[in-house]
Amino acid sequence: MEKIVCTCILTLFCVKFALSRLDGLKTVESYMNICMLGKYHKSSPSPEKGLVSKFCSPWAVRSCCTEETALDIHVNSAWLNFDWNHCGQLSSRCREYFIMDSCFYSCSPNVGPWLVEDVRKIRKERFKNVPLCEKVCDNWYEACKDDLTCTDEWAKNFNWSTGINTCPHGSACRKFSEVFQNKASTFCEKVFGSFKVVPEDPNGGGNCFHLWFDPRHPNPNEAVARRRASEILNVEYKVVQGSESNNGHNKAVQLDSRSTFVVSMVVFTAVLADYVK
Ligand SMILES: *[C@@H]1O[C@H](CO)[C@@H](O)[C@H](O)[C@H]1NC(C)=O
């Protein structure tokens, strides 16, 4: 009996261990070259020359989304079956910010250090506590504060029984300003539960993300991600100019998680053999 319990626990442990590719990230470059594990994300960032749609175009140099996804975000008012207009039509200014956010979510190659596991049909990972610059959040909130919604946590509270999000029973449509208690950071952090609002370092240290930037300029978020990856790995942060190259580090990551899997299976088999005996 004890052996069965022991084997079960070990099996669960091995399976969990083998499946978490995030545990295999051991270098700053591996954090830089990873996209969210999801149905609508590429497996790793690479150039997308055709990424011309306005709000996704900054990511053309190194992108986690395809051209099709980028276009869909701009033209489809129910992208991923999400009805933005669940309380009447969103204002175009507010809608633009949500398009920007969707582009960031789908295309940004810089969220590696903030990925955590998730269990959904369309994705197995999500990002959490991604540092969003306070100014960016303030502008987004300003654009939306007079628009209407019926719940503060869009990732959790909607009724999906019809296949598209509708307001849950008993939750009336109210202004964003009321739903989010007049606070920009409450809005940015709660609405999808993925951001943490932080004031931008006045010395330009690159401590927070921009949702959008002028595509003619280099991606300001690269340094933010590199810094965080260095922190996680406890290695010295190195400034890298024009870090657009995608060298063979993905292969290293895959190998790493594969060897973890093999080791886990060997242990599992050994225990099982012992148990059967
Ligand atoms: C969800 O929507 C369905 C269909 O409109 C409805 O029957 C159900 O009561 C709703 N559930 C909640 C919790 O709002």
Side-chain angles (χ1 to χ4, degrees), residues 45-166:
S46 57
E48 286 290 334
K49 294 272 182 297
L51 224 58
V52 291
S53 347
K54 189 168 179 194
F55 298 107
C56 294
S57 59
W59 320 110
V61 177
R62 227 166 67 85
S63 170
C64 279
C65 71
T66 61
E67 242 176 276
E68 285 130 281
T69 299
L71 191 64
D72 208 22
I73 288 169
H74 284 74
V75 300
N76 190 344
S77 71
W79 180 63
L80 302 185
N81 291 329
F82 191 85
D83 182 14
W84 304 99
N85 304 321
H86 51 267
C87 277
Q89 186 96 24
L90 278 190
S91 67
S92 59
R93 250 165 52 84
C94 177
R95 173 82 180 113
E96 278 182 8
Y97 269 94
F98 278 105
I99 293 177
M100 250 181 250
D101 177 61
S102 301
C103 285
F104 177 88
Y105 167 81
S106 304
C107 313
S108 168
N110 304 123
V111 293
W114 292 273
L115 288 177
V116 293
E117 286 179 59
D118 194 18
V119 272
R120 297 215 179 200
K121 254 190 266 165
I122 60 160
R123 59 168 200 236
K124 298 293 165 242
E125 287 167 1
R126 67 183 191 95
F127 46 74
K128 194 180 162 191
N129 290 332
V130 168
L132 182 66
C133 296
E134 192 172 34
K135 267 225 176 66
V136 176
C137 174
D138 286 347
N139 293 340
W140 186 0
Y141 175 75
E142 273 305 307
C144 296
K145 67 178 186 194
D146 293 327
D147 282 274
L148 301 176
T149 185
C150 54
T151 178
D152 55 354
E153 291 184 79
W154 290 9
K156 283 188 193 162
N157 297 343
F158 279 113
N159 182 343
W160 283 92
S161 65
T162 60
I164 194 158
N165 59 309
T166 56

Side-chain angles (χ1 to χ4, degrees), residues 255-273:
L255 272 183
D256 203 324
S257 52
R258 203 176 304 153
S259 53
T260 309
F261 180 77
V262 170
V263 169
S264 308
M265 280 304 135
V266 168
V267 173
F268 169 64
T269 314
V271 171
L272 195 67

